[in-house]
Amino acid sequence: MFSRALQRCSLQACTSTPRALHRIASVTQPAKLLVHQRLQQKRHQSSYSDRNSVGVSRRPISPAVAQRKLQVFTPTSAALFIATGIGLFFYFRHEKAQLLARREEERASKQYGRPQVGGPFSLLTSEGQPFTEQNLYGKWSLVYFGFTNCPDICPQELDKVTSVLDVIEKEHGNIFQPLFISVDPARDTPARVGKYLKDFHSSYIGLVGSYEATKAVCKAYRVYFSTPPNADPAGDYLVDHSIFVYLMDPSGKFVEAFGQAVPKEEIIEKVREAVNEWEMKASKKLASRLPRSTILTGVFGFPMDALFLPLANAVGASVDQIKLISCLLVAYPLGSVFVRIPSSQPGLRHFFNIAIAVFFFFPVLQLYKGFFQLLVSILVTYFLAAYDKSARMPWLVFVFVMGHLTVNHVIRAMYGFGYETMEITGPQMVLTMKLTTFAWNVWDGRRQADALDKWQMEKRITEYPSLLEFLGYSFYFPGILVGPYLDLSEYRSLIHETVFDDDKVKEKNKGGRKLPSGRKRNAYGKMVMGLIYLGIFVVFGGSNNYSTALTPWFMEHNLFVRIFLFQIYGFLERSKYYAIWTLTEGASIVTGLGFTGFNASGRSTWNGAANVKVTDIEFPSNFKVLLDSWNMKTNVWLRECVYKRVTPKGKKPGFRSSMITFFTSAFWHGIASGYYLTFLMGGFITTVARLARSNIRPLLLPAPGQSESDLKELYDIAGTTLSTLILNYSASPFMILTATDSFTVWSRLGWYGHIIVFGGLVFFYAGGTSYFKKLQVEAGIVPVGKKSTPNKEGSNGNATDSGASTPINEKTFTLPPSFDNVMPHQK
């Protein structure tokens, strides 16, 4: 009755006047209140009845279901959640302090009105190496503009600068780089400037450029010079120019200008004051970055950068590079501490990994934002894999972590970070492999065993890890910065030392030891080799690399000399990768990772953490062996987590699977155009290499019981030589990064790589394959009427010894599918 009355009142209210509406409202308010009270009473009785009646339809939640719903939220996860919140609090407080400091610095700069001296420029050193304003960063600079034909003033000023440097270096070490910039581009060549500066301070860097480049740098430094643009290189003339010595701080900013009349004693005093003031400000700024978390700052009273700056200045490297190498070296003694933590206490081992990783990222590398970015990817993966039971879960994790990585690749490109800068994309690339592999291993643990292959069965996860264990796995300290990548099953066998439960290990161990002997010998042998590669790069790589091909000095040589020099540059470029991968492999071995059994002589082998085989790369028997020996862990990840996963069930992997894998590899590396030039070139290289191997090599193989012929030995030598030549040619864009500069380098090498590769393709596709097939039939290698084994779809251009398609577990996935998958050659 009340409801019908209310409906009638509502209908009337829609058409009534305001006065009528007021009357209706005053009448219906008590009725509404009464209805509300009765409904509340009825709801209460219904609830009481549900709780007490025997025939209730509601099913109670079983303890197992409740535990399954709450299994992720443990006291450990709660503590870590609180710790993360505390860390974020201090992090944002630190960011706010930095913002206020920057504003104060800008305000002070405007108040004092510092002159705008200095700016972008691009010149060449006396050795022909590029030199820009970015090379000023990290050291103090004394910059002088002059010319080598100057009769008196320039030598006097350079002598004055030399006297200043002698005094300052005794007090502060090698913190200065004096620059001599020529204002006579017509006559001052790089070689001439280099010879001229030998009479002055040994650290002088001579810079020259074209007339336009010289004019631009003079304008930036407000320097006047009178050299005309069409000056005669053989002319006898003087150049009128400004006579100032410019003092620039390690951030490339102008500090002071000293004229000709300023005595050296006054310059020394002002330089000393500027250096002391800078060091004081830098110490305060670094100390305020993480006031309560920077361990060594609080204990020893100085920022950690002070430890690395002298060494960086001594070897000419960036502070970030020195800090990275230091982390890799410190991991060795820390690994010895790790193995002394009992395997019966896995929680302590997990916590140790996390603590050392935090030490690396916070006080040493000072990658605060980067650490929390990694933590976000880790936590999202952990909870998503725990709660999403569907088949889409691994792909959701994959899209999230790869998308996060790609965003940071874009940011790196926007800010123009070079290899000398340590930022978060390197560790994030390693973590991306770990997290996506984990997601697939979890999904495999939920599938039927008969639907899995051998690798998937070995790596499947049926027992979900605790949050502490997952963080320990993600932050495994020897590999957190540059690898090696490992899966959770490998990590668990390392933590619990189950890999050493084999009877052969127990037989060889004495005194109750669980770790096989020879671990330290292998590990520290890797460390020595890594330091040798690092020394080669430091001593020779700075001025001998792929970018040297862009200098005018490189073009002074004939084509064959340029090609020969380029092969040396390739090894020196790769030596830095050999260094860091070998160092981190050794540190991993110290913790017990990478054990692969015993060799024929009974000595333990530790090859499971290797990411590179240097000998097979520098002296490959063929191009496939070369590819298989480079970045091996990435190849495993691409095969197991991309190539196999994108292939529809019941079908063999084909061209589509290969292309998806290639683009994944490309995006994983970054967005630089040079990466894609290298990868795309590799697709054609693998095609011509496979064609040569399957058509020519069988004709040169000896019959059973016979020794190899001279032609077979020549074939092997040619294969090694061509593989090395092609490697350095095709890999150069990967280091040069930009497509424009890569094409310039290729043109200066006479396009020899394109001539070899595409010339070979034309030869085999134009009839070479049929010709060699005929020779094989005549030699009895292939019976008459029987065709050679076709290149099956999905072979990716790699061949086995028999010429058949390569098994999936031997494929190289860092390159696109071979060209003959798109356009098969005629048999």
Side-chain angles (χ1 to χ4, degrees):
M1 293 294 293
F2 277 106
S3 62
R4 285 196 294 272
L6 287 173
Q7 288 177 2
R8 286 195 297 271
C9 291
S10 300
L11 291 173
Q12 292 173 5
C14 293
T15 56
S16 300
T17 63
R19 187 183 299 272
L21 287 174
H22 177 73
R23 288 197 302 270
I24 292 172
S26 62
V27 172
T28 57
Q29 285 299 327
K32 288 183 179 180
L33 180 61
L34 182 59
V35 171
H36 177 71
Q37 291 174 347
R38 290 190 176 183
L39 288 176
Q40 288 285 0
Q41 183 178 4
K42 185 176 181 181
R43 190 175 295 115
H44 175 73
Q45 292 174 351
S46 176
S47 176
Y48 180 83
S49 176
D50 286 345
R51 289 195 302 268
N52 292 278
S53 62
V54 177
V56 67
S57 61
R58 223 178 260 181
R59 290 180 296 178
I61 300 176
S62 66
V65 174
Q67 183 180 6
R68 189 162 60 247
K69 289 186 176 182
L70 298 175
Q71 62 181 355
V72 178
F73 295 100
T74 63
T76 302
S77 63
L80 289 170
F81 178 79
I82 295 172
T84 302
I86 295 173
L88 287 171
F89 168 77
F90 284 108
Y91 164 71
F92 285 116
R93 192 176 74 168
H94 156 72
E95 287 294 307
K96 181 179 179 181
Q98 275 198 329
L99 178 61
L100 293 175
R102 283 195 298 268
R103 290 179 178 175
E104 184 64 28
E105 185 177 344
E106 292 174 359
R107 198 179 299 115
S109 178
K110 291 178 181 179
Q111 180 179 355
Y112 290 112
R114 174 180 291 182
Q116 295 296 322
V117 175
F121 64 87
S122 180
L123 301 170
L124 295 176
T125 67
S126 55
E127 289 80 21
Q129 300 299 314
F131 193 101
T132 69
E133 75 284 351
Q134 295 184 0
N135 294 99
L136 299 178
Y137 302 155
K139 279 193 172 186
W140 290 84
S141 302
L142 286 170
V143 185
Y144 180 75
F145 291 79
F147 63 108
T148 59
N149 281 354
C150 182
D152 46 18
I153 296 179
C154 291
Q156 291 174 5
E157 293 301 296
L158 294 177
D159 282 332
K160 185 193 298 183
V161 172
T162 299
S163 301
V164 173
L165 292 173
D166 290 339
V167 174
I168 297 299
E169 286 183 350
K170 289 180 181 179
E171 299 176 357
H172 297 277
N174 184 24
I175 63 172
F176 268 87
Q177 57 176 358
L179 304 179
F180 173 81
I181 301 179
S182 172
V183 293
D184 188 7
R187 294 181 297 184
D188 284 347
T189 63
R192 185 171 184 172
V193 170
K195 183 178 179 181
Y196 175 74
L197 292 176
K198 288 182 179 180
D199 295 331
F200 304 99
H201 198 276
S202 59
S203 61
Y204 257 116
I205 300 175
L207 301 178
V208 298
S210 63
Y211 181 83
E212 290 76 15
T214 303
K215 182 179 179 181
V217 69
C218 287
K219 182 178 180 180
Y221 281 82
R222 302 187 179 184
V223 171
Y224 162 77
F225 74 109
S226 62
T227 309
N230 56 350
D232 183 8
D236 184 15
Y237 57 87
L238 295 178
V239 179
D240 186 19
H241 62 88
S242 303
I243 306 172
F244 286 100
V245 176
Y246 297 92
L247 175 62
M248 312 296 288
D249 67 25
S251 64
K253 295 181 179 178
F254 170 77
V255 178
E256 187 65 83
F258 307 106
Q260 183 183 4
V262 180
K264 64 180 180 181
E265 292 78 12
E266 184 177 342
I267 297 177
I268 291 172
E269 187 61 31
K270 290 190 176 181
V271 169
R272 184 185 290 124
E273 291 177 1
V275 171
N276 291 335
E277 184 180 356
W278 170 272
E279 291 180 349
M280 186 178 299
K281 288 182 178 179
S283 298
K284 291 181 179 179
K285 186 180 295 184
L286 288 170
S288 65
R289 279 188 170 184
L290 201 61
R292 292 178 176 81
S293 300
T294 307
I295 301 170
L296 289 185
T297 301
V299 176
F300 297 105
F302 56 87
M304 289 203 67
D305 279 17
L307 291 171
F308 307 107
L309 189 58
L311 182 58
N313 292 334
V315 300
S318 69
V319 173
D320 281 354
Q321 290 172 327
I322 297 299
K323 290 195 289 189
L324 172 61
I325 299 301
S326 299
C327 289
L328 300 182
L329 293 176
V330 167
Y332 281 79
L334 291 174
S336 295
V337 176
F338 175 85
V339 297
R340 283 167 173 76
I341 300 175
S343 58
S344 59
Q345 299 290 332
L348 291 179
R349 290 193 164 194
H350 300 322
F351 182 78
F352 187 82
N353 280 323
I354 299 169
I356 300 304
V358 170
F359 171 72
F360 286 165
F361 280 105
F362 278 66
V364 181
L365 299 174
Q366 299 171 2
L367 293 175
Y368 314 119
K369 296 179 182 178
F371 177 83
F372 286 110
Q373 289 198 55
L374 297 183
L375 188 60
V376 167
S377 290
I378 292 169
L379 295 178
V380 168
T381 300
Y382 181 77
F383 289 107
L384 184 60
Y387 286 107
D388 191 342
K389 312 293 184 182
S390 67
R392 67 180 181 178
M393 179 272 295
W395 292 114
L396 293 176
V397 171
F398 191 89
V399 170
F400 177 79
V401 296
M402 277 293 294
H404 189 186
L405 174 62
T406 302
V407 168
N408 283 334
H409 277 317
V410 172
I411 294 173
R412 179 188 178 98
M414 290 174 59
Y415 281 90
F417 291 138
Y419 291 103
E420 72 283 351
T421 304
M422 179 67 189
E423 41 78 60
I424 202 59
T425 56
Q428 194 175 13
M429 291 170 72
V430 179
L431 187 64
T432 296
M433 293 192 290
K434 281 186 175 183
L435 298 181
T436 52
T437 302
F438 170 79
W440 281 113
N441 293 156
V442 170
W443 171 242
D444 290 337
R446 296 167 181 168
R447 298 166 63 195
Q448 295 295 325
D450 55 4
L452 308 178
D453 60 24
K454 181 180 178 181
W455 186 90
Q456 294 165 352
M457 278 295 298
E458 291 177 352
K459 307 299 183 181
R460 68 196 303 239
I461 297 173
T462 55
E463 180 183 352
Y464 204 78
S466 67
L467 185 56
L468 179 63
E469 181 183 20
F470 189 67
L471 288 172
Y473 160 68
S474 301
F475 288 121
Y476 172 62
F477 72 91
I480 184 61
L481 299 179
V482 294
Y485 135 80
L486 73 166
D487 54 67
L488 186 64
S489 65
E490 291 176 303
Y491 178 74
R492 281 175 166 171
S493 66
L494 171 69
I495 293 296
H496 300 284
E497 296 184 346
T498 55
V499 69
F500 307 121
D501 289 340
D502 188 83
D503 293 336
K504 292 182 180 179
V505 178
K506 294 178 180 179
E507 290 176 5
K508 294 190 176 290
N509 286 347
K510 297 180 181 180
R513 293 186 57 190
K514 203 166 186 179
L515 291 172
S517 60
R519 172 179 57 89
K520 289 185 178 179
R521 182 190 69 247
N522 281 272
Y524 284 94
K526 296 292 183 183
M527 184 185 76
V528 172
M529 287 304 303
L531 291 176
I532 291 174
Y533 292 131
L534 182 63
I536 291 173
F537 174 72
V538 169
V539 175
F540 303 105
S543 57
N544 298 281
N545 49 62
Y546 286 141
S547 297
T548 308
L550 295 168
T551 64
W553 174 86
F554 187 74
M555 291 302 294
E556 294 176 2
H557 303 83
N558 63 54
L559 177 61
F560 294 103
V561 173
R562 294 199 297 267
I563 293 175
F564 174 77
L565 290 173
F566 206 71
Q567 311 315 306
I568 300 175
Y569 298 160
F571 168 73
L572 295 176
E573 285 274 22
R574 291 187 292 276
S575 62
K576 61 175 174 284
Y577 294 103
Y578 297 157
I580 59 173
W581 281 340
T582 306
L583 286 174
T584 192
E585 178 188 354
S588 301
I589 292 174
V590 175
T591 65
L593 182 69
F595 176 67
T596 51
F598 300 91
N599 59 19
S601 62
R603 305 183 76 176
S604 61
T605 59
W606 300 79
N607 302 318
N611 200 38
V612 65
K613 296 179 181 178
V614 178
T615 305
D616 289 342
I617 293 172
E618 298 303 326
F619 305 101
S621 58
N622 55 67
F623 199 73
K624 179 187 180 302
V625 170
L626 187 155
L627 294 176
D628 291 343
S629 305
W630 175 265
N631 209 355
M632 298 183 293
K633 294 292 186 179
T634 301
N635 204 27
V636 172
W637 171 65
L638 290 170
R639 180 184 70 225
E640 300 297 338
C641 296
V642 183
Y643 188 70
K644 290 181 180 179
R645 308 295 181 169
V646 299
T647 304
K649 186 177 180 180
K651 294 186 179 181
K652 292 183 178 181
F655 179 75
R656 171 181 169 274
S657 301
S658 297
M659 285 303 299
I660 293 175
T661 307
F662 155 65
F663 280 111
T664 302
S665 175
F667 279 115
W668 180 78
H669 280 90
I671 63 170
S673 56
Y675 295 157
Y676 297 86
L677 285 179
T678 294
F679 293 144
L680 290 174
M681 185 73 178
F684 296 101
I685 295 171
T686 52
T687 300
V688 72
R690 189 198 61 78
L691 290 173
R693 185 174 174 83
S694 61
N695 286 286
I696 301 175
R697 187 172 181 272
L699 296 170
L700 305 176
L701 292 175
Q706 296 182 0
S707 59
E708 289 188 350
S709 63
D710 293 339
L711 287 176
K712 175 60 169 58
E713 293 182 358
L714 289 174
Y715 172 85
D716 291 339
I717 294 173
T720 298
T721 303
L722 286 174
S723 295
T724 303
L725 287 168
I726 294 300
L727 165 66
N728 291 313
Y729 183 87
S730 60
S732 58
F734 193 91
M735 300 303 302
I736 297 173
L737 298 181
T738 64
T740 302
D741 288 343
S742 299
F743 287 130
T744 300
V745 169
W746 279 347
S747 66
R748 293 185 174 189
L749 295 172
W751 301 96
Y752 79 81
H754 284 78
I755 293 173
I756 294 173
V757 173
F758 290 97
L761 288 174
V762 170
F763 170 77
F764 283 111
Y765 277 83
T769 300
S770 301
Y771 173 74
F772 283 108
K773 168 66 186 321
K774 182 179 179 181
L775 292 180
Q776 291 181 16
V777 172
E778 293 175 355
I781 299 173
V782 178
V784 179
K786 183 177 180 180
K787 294 184 178 180
S788 301
T789 304
N791 181 39
K792 296 179 182 179
E793 188 181 20
S795 68
N796 204 26
N798 302 321
T800 60
D801 288 342
S802 65
S805 61
T806 307
I808 291 178
N809 61 350
E810 297 180 10
K811 289 181 179 296
T812 299
F813 296 94
T814 52
L815 296 176
S818 58
F819 179 67
D820 55 356
N821 277 334
V822 183
M823 183 178 176
H825 61 85
Q826 295 186 359
K827 307 293 183 184

